[in-house]
Amino acid sequence: GLNVDEVDYLKEMVAQAEKRAQRTREVAKKKIEEFRVACYQLFGWKMQVNGAQYHLSSMYAEQEHQTLAFGQREDGGMELLETPYCSELELEINEVLRKYNSVPVFLSQICLDNFQKCTAFVMPSALS
């Protein structure tokens, strides 16, 4: 068997490993939150991850229920999942998402539309 010194040594090694693991979890949690805040500030979308679903809400949404949900397809792409907000976005879903198959363009369009609704911003004609 092990003597007392060996047992104490192993206990100390386990305690140190647990401390390192806890510090790693804390740093990872902090970095993930920093990344989420940066994405929100850069792209205008707050993301909540729930399993394999990604729930997005625009910083310019007029109402809290205006959220989108995406799931990951087997080919790695993203698929829009049905939410109550989707019924308000039929034109954008058909004209942008289905026609061009581009989630980034779709999200950009929604973000710009919401921005225009909540501000007096009017897109210059040269850009529209």
Side-chain angles (χ1 to χ4, degrees), residues 82-101:
E82 191 66 33
T83 66
Y85 187 36
C86 288
S87 65
E88 300 174 35
L89 302 173
E90 288 183 35
L91 179 66
E92 293 85 349
I93 291 169
N94 289 323
E95 291 298 315
V96 179
L97 191 59
R98 290 195 178 116
K99 186 174 182 179
Y100 296 106
N101 196 30

Side-chain angles (χ1 to χ4, degrees), residues 4-120:
V4 174
D5 289 338
E6 291 171 324
V7 170
D8 288 344
Y9 173 75
L10 292 174
K11 284 181 180 178
E12 179 61 29
M13 296 300 289
V14 168
Q16 288 177 11
E18 287 173 350
K19 283 181 190 176
R20 280 193 305 271
Q22 180 61 32
R23 280 195 300 268
T24 300
R25 284 190 294 273
E26 290 169 3
V27 169
K29 185 176 181 178
K30 181 181 177 196
K31 289 297 178 187
I32 288 168
E33 186 57 28
E34 287 174 4
F35 181 76
R36 289 179 69 229
V37 169
C39 286
Y40 182 66
Q41 295 297 319
L42 290 168
F43 306 114
W45 291 95
K46 185 183 299 179
M47 185 185 318
Q48 299 290 335
V49 181
N50 185 2
Q53 291 187 2
Y54 302 86
H55 299 266
L56 283 73
S57 55
S58 171
M59 69 169 49
Y60 301 113
E62 294 176 286
Q63 299 174 1
E64 243 180 76
H65 82 277
Q66 293 177 319
T67 61
L68 298 171
F70 290 87
Q72 198 154 22
R73 296 188 313 244
E74 291 200 11
D75 67 3
M78 299 303 268
E79 173 181 33
L80 179 66
L81 304 175
E82 191 66 33
T83 66
Y85 187 36
C86 288
S87 65
E88 300 174 35
L89 302 173
E90 288 183 35
L91 179 66
E92 293 85 349
I93 291 169
N94 289 323
E95 291 298 315
V96 179
L97 191 59
R98 290 195 178 116
K99 186 174 182 179
Y100 296 106
N101 196 30
S102 175
V103 172
V105 171
F106 172 70
L107 292 175
S108 297
Q109 182 68 51
I110 302 305
C111 192
L112 185 57
D113 288 349
N114 286 340
F115 179 74
Q116 289 174 333
K117 288 175 189 171
C118 73
T119 65

